[in-house]
Amino acid sequence: MTTTTTSRTAGGPSDEAPAALHSPVIDWFRTHARDLPWRRQEAGPWGVMVSEFMLQQTPVSRVLPVYEQWLARWPRPADLAAEPPGEAVRAWGRLGYPRRALRLHAAASAIAERHGGDVPQDHAKLLALPGVGEYTAAAVASFAYGQRHPVLDTNVRRVFGRAVTGVQYPPTATTAAERRLARELLPDDDPTAAAWAAATMELGALVCTARTPDCHRCPIATQCAWRLAGSPAHTGPPRRGQTYAGTDRQVRGKLLAVLREAVTPVEQAALDVVWDEPVQRARALDGLVSDGLVEPLTNGTYRLPLT
DNA sequence: AAAACGTGGTG
DNA sequence: TCACCAAGTTT
């Protein structure tokens, strides 16, 4: 035997690992999945897409009521596209990151214009839509159309990090190794792959949570590499929590809150009261305007964008 | 590639 | 209380 004997890539899953994980996780999902509105058949691809936009960095509990109102008001992409972008921003409410509302409106317009009003099925076409990145394209293709795509969100990354790689937390940014692993673990056929995607996400959301995982209820606890290693603490760089108080983001939020509530254009003075520091206040407002979230009128007033 | 981008619940 | 966390995308 030579020193160059073939060996499996370090840290990679064994050939039989996938099958051993698929069934327990998918079976668990069948009995424990939450009954969320965007998972109902009647939600359709548009409902799935709307939910995915809203769920980008925003918890399910806060998305629920806004999602219902949104779909009731704009049941099809063309319905949203027919309204001014500012109406999308207003209906977005306090979900946060309001540029998502603008992008969802722009995506709806693109769907209405270029795709005959139907959410495209092709991953590349989904990816080309405003506000749709790698995750959302895969999620819509998988959840709405039952296709086979690696769906790698924060939940799945954590589940794979623990169950397979054996670490408490995945790296800060998604790595090529994580993408490769997600691809390797993907079941071969479309329906099973789609179920796997939804199931691993749900497992991360309900059981394999960031702070205090409930391993007692985990269907793959006996196979979890992290548990088997004694649940070692995170070793990498500290996970940065973004500060918010005093940032431009906070000021933008306060300014936009005023505009959302207003039915008519708002005077400069009404915006000035939300923040006392004039330089930062002006910078925040300029930022909102350049982002297309606020429209300045020639008479010195401001409103949510009509175009 | 690092940083910007909202908001509210929770341990 | 306060830092962490939540189905990311864009520049």
Side-chain angles (χ1 to χ4, degrees), chain A residues 37-265:
Chain A
W38 43 86
R39 287 179 177 161
R40 299 190 303 243
Q41 185 59 39
E42 59 264 35
W46 173 238
V48 171
M49 173 169 280
V50 169
S51 77
E52 291 303 336
F53 269 77
M54 292 183 173
L55 288 164
Q56 291 169 4
Q57 302 284 279
T58 302
V60 167
S61 60
R62 288 173 48 208
V63 164
L64 248 15
V66 182
Y67 171 87
E68 299 287 9
Q69 295 178 152
W70 194 282
L71 266 294
R73 181 173 176 184
W74 299 306
R76 297 162 306 179
D79 300 318
L80 175 58
E83 297 238 25
E87 281 308 294
V89 174
R90 196 190 308 279
W92 197 254
R94 307 188 65 80
L95 288 183
Y97 293 146
R99 289 191 291 193
R100 290 182 293 165
L102 230 38
R103 290 173 181 149
L104 180 52
H105 180 274
S109 300
I111 291 169
E113 293 169 19
R114 310 201 300 260
H115 300 291
D118 295 317
V119 176
Q121 302 191 32
D122 182 53
H123 179 93
K125 288 176 178 167
L126 287 165
L127 197 53
L129 295 172
V132 176
E134 189 56 46
Y135 161 75
T136 302
V140 172
S142 182
F143 303 153
Y145 295 116
Q147 295 171 25
R148 179 179 183 272
H149 294 281
V151 176
L152 206 49
D153 80 322
T154 187
N155 290 304
V156 177
R157 294 182 62 217
R158 190 173 53 246
V159 169
F160 289 175
R162 287 175 183 165
V164 181
T165 312
V167 297
Q168 184 179 23
Y169 297 116
T172 306
T174 306
T175 63
E178 286 183 274
R179 298 183 208 286
R180 178 184 50 72
L181 176 60
R183 240 183 296 115
E184 290 174 352
L185 291 176
L186 207 52
D188 292 326
D189 66 286
D190 292 69
T192 308
W196 169 249
T200 47
M201 282 182 66
E202 192 77 337
L203 186 62
L206 298 183
V207 173
C208 194
T209 55
R211 299 239 182 110
T212 51
D214 194 353
C215 304
H216 186 65
R217 280 192 288 164
C218 181
I220 52 173
T222 59
Q223 307 166 61
C224 177
W226 182 56
R227 278 212 104 203
L228 261 24
S231 305
H234 181 62
T235 53
R239 302 148 63 66
R240 54 179 302 221
Q242 69 274 53
T243 53
Y244 179 64
T247 62
D248 285 7
R249 260 148 89 180
Q250 183 182 23
V251 184
R252 287 166 57 106
K254 288 179 175 298
L255 290 170
L256 207 54
V258 173
L259 278 308
R260 272 199 312 264
E261 299 310 310
V263 179
T264 58

